[in-house]
Amino acid sequence: MSQPDVPPIPDDPFHRMLHHVAPAGLSEATAQSAGMRRVEAISGKSVGSRRLWMGQTHVAPSTASENHHHGHSETAIFVVSGRPEFVFLDLEGPEPREVRIVTGPGEYIYVPPYVPHREENPDPEQEALVVIARTTQEAIVVNQPDLRWAGPVMTNSEDVRER
């Protein structure tokens, strides 16, 4: 069967097609942490993105994720439903202490690169659902035994050195 005469897509940033990802196109073939389920929507694999990953995270009722960080990726989180809690270790005071941020629908969380954290859903009945955007095309997930950082030290936004 012959194709109709369609002009080729110009190889420039102003003449590329948009990509639509419907719920049926979401993929669970992405990095995971115990206690949550991540699904991928926008990535290098799904749409050819180069610097962006976007998807959803589902945290079941009465569940907490593993402690983890997202490497050099910045993460933005939008709470769709539920009241998820985000826990990290504050090292600014005289003693490290766990800080818990309680959120609700319509709120946002920013997770800087390399910051260990976990998501919790204390609600015994309702799943928590959030939309996540990251500054890498793939979902970097590094699971940790606790919230203390044990890896490279960030010296600026582009440089990491080993301890």
Side-chain angles (χ1 to χ4, degrees):
M1 187 185 301
S2 67
Q3 295 290 329
D5 284 287
V6 177
I9 297 173
D11 190 21
D12 69 59
F14 304 108
H15 297 93
R16 296 186 185 197
M17 59 187 247
L18 300 183
H19 294 269
H20 173 228
V21 179
L26 299 176
S27 170
E28 290 188 30
T30 187
Q32 301 290 334
S33 297
M36 60 184 1
R37 180 174 60 92
R38 290 186 184 93
V39 293
E40 178 178 273
I42 307 298
S43 69
K45 289 183 290 194
S46 67
V47 300
S49 64
R50 296 181 202 162
R51 292 185 220 75
L52 177 68
W53 183 95
M54 192 170 188
Q56 301 174 353
T57 298
H58 300 255
V59 183
S62 300
T63 302
S65 75
E66 282 185 271
N67 300 305
H68 61 279
H69 67 79
H70 303 291
H72 66 277
S73 183
E74 293 178 271
T75 302
I77 301 168
F78 175 73
V79 179
V80 175
S81 63
R83 298 202 48 83
E85 299 181 6
F86 298 85
V87 183
F88 69 99
L89 194 61
D90 182 358
L91 301 172
E92 298 295 319
E95 293 292 322
R97 68 180 180 92
E98 277 193 9
V99 174
R100 177 176 306 276
I101 301 172
V102 179
T103 66
E107 296 181 355
Y108 294 84
I109 293 287
Y110 170 71
V111 181
Y114 297 101
V115 174
H117 60 283
R118 74 176 170 266
E119 289 87 18
E120 297 182 0
N121 181 7
D123 190 304
E125 297 177 10
Q126 183 182 11
E127 174 184 79
L129 172 61
V130 301
V131 170
I132 297 176
R134 294 210 182 101
T135 57
T136 55
Q137 67 167 336
E138 303 305 328
I140 299 168
V141 178
V142 180
N143 294 313
Q144 305 262 125
D146 58 39
L147 292 174
R148 294 184 188 281
W149 177 243
V153 175
M154 283 296 288
T155 57
N156 67 42
S157 64
E158 298 296 322
D159 181 35
V160 177
R161 63 180 169 80
E162 295 295 327
R163 282 188 176 184

